[in-house]
Amino acid sequence: MADRPVWTEAEEGLFEKYYQLLLEWNERVNLTAIVERQEVYVKHFYDSLLIRDLPEWRAAVARQGRVADVGTGAGFPGIPLAIAFPGARFVLMDSLQKRLRFLQAVVDTLRLANVELVHGRAEDLAHQPAFRHQFDVVLARAVAKLPTLVELLAGFVKPGQFAFAYKGPEVEAEIAGAWRALAAMRMKLVRVDALELPKGMGSRRVVVLRQLAPVSNEYPRRAGLPQRQPL
Ligand code: SAM
């Protein structure tokens, strides 16, 4: 990880507000099991920003690209990235309405002009023309195992562009089971990057996938099938 600070002083204020909102809303809405300050900062905020120096990310941000965060939950990794990269445009998607209500409060309080919130399932949203193959980068953290995940993500990625799956160190087994799904989704595994959280708080993997060509219109299959019957 580069030796410059992860976020600026101005951004620090936004992260602090986000942390306060998380704690406040977490009393009513199930958002995060982690609430201790340092843990939230490292395991949610810093973790979300782990991709910030990857060349594919830098290139997408440099051209003010569109980014989708599929299954964003309480906003990870989308909100920390939207704070740190105000020039990129983010669409955060989730199927749970109550989490989107929390995110709307975050977007309003932090005045994040570069974030759009969308309620729905990836299996449906990926077929809508407004989202089909429209994104320079598609992100997902803790949403599904890789064979299922690639089916959920591929329909969003512009051909030639990238999806990043945030994973733990055990990702190799998932990759071993994902080759058929990757081929069907016209995706190529580019790299698996090993990245470390600070203070010895964990080791992470980011799976970098490239969308080689548009996906057949039959994918993703109808809601629930990618999970129940992975390719
Ligand atoms: N990405 C966040 C994180 O890392 O903290 C949330 C992870 S949470 C375990 C998974 C989230 O994905 C939930 O908020 C769930 O509603 C959402 N989700 C799961 N399957 C989905 C689907 N098919 N379409 C849209 N959202 C989905």
Side-chain angles (χ1 to χ4, degrees), residues 4 6 8 29-32 41 43-44 50 57 61 63 68 75 90 96 100 104 123 125-126 152 174 191 221 225 228:
R4 61 192 154 73
V6 179
T8 64
V29 180
N30 179 16
L31 294 171
T32 171
Y41 267 75
K43 293 186 179 172
H44 284 326
L50 277 175
W57 175 257
V61 165
R63 58 173 191 276
F90 292 80
L96 265 190
L100 286 178
Q104 190 62 58
E123 297 93 316
L125 297 173
L152 297 181
E174 286 184 41
R191 261 186 350 267
R221 290 166 291 163
L225 270 188
R228 283 198 305 276

Side-chain angles (χ1 to χ4, degrees), residues 157-172:
V157 191
K158 282 183 191 167
Q161 301 307 314
F162 300 92
F164 299 153
Y166 286 64
K167 292 287 180 182
E170 313 298 326
V171 73
E172 291 302 332

Side-chain angles (χ1 to χ4, degrees), residues 19 23 28 38 57 68 72-73 85 129 131 134 140 148-150 172:
Y19 176 60
L23 289 190
R28 289 172 277 139
Q38 177 170 292
W57 175 257
T72 188
F85 295 92
F131 304 125
Q134 294 298 313
T148 297
L149 190 64
V150 297
E172 291 302 332

Side-chain angles (χ1 to χ4, degrees), residues 31 44 47-48 69-78 93-96 99 120-125 140-144 152 166 223-224 227:
L31 294 171
H44 284 326
D47 188 77
S48 295
D69 178 10
V70 177
T72 188
F76 306 117
M93 306 175 183
D94 205 281
S95 52
L96 265 190
R99 297 210 169 111
R121 291 190 70 133
E123 297 93 316
D124 303 320
L125 297 173
R141 190 186 84 155
V143 173
L152 297 181
Y166 286 64
Q227 297 80 353

Side-chain angles (χ1 to χ4, degrees), residues 17 32 53 67 89 96 99 142 189 194 199 219:
K17 282 185 187 161
T32 171
D53 289 322
V67 180
R89 294 162 295 149
L96 265 190
R99 297 210 169 111
L189 174 67
K199 304 180 194 294
Y219 299 119

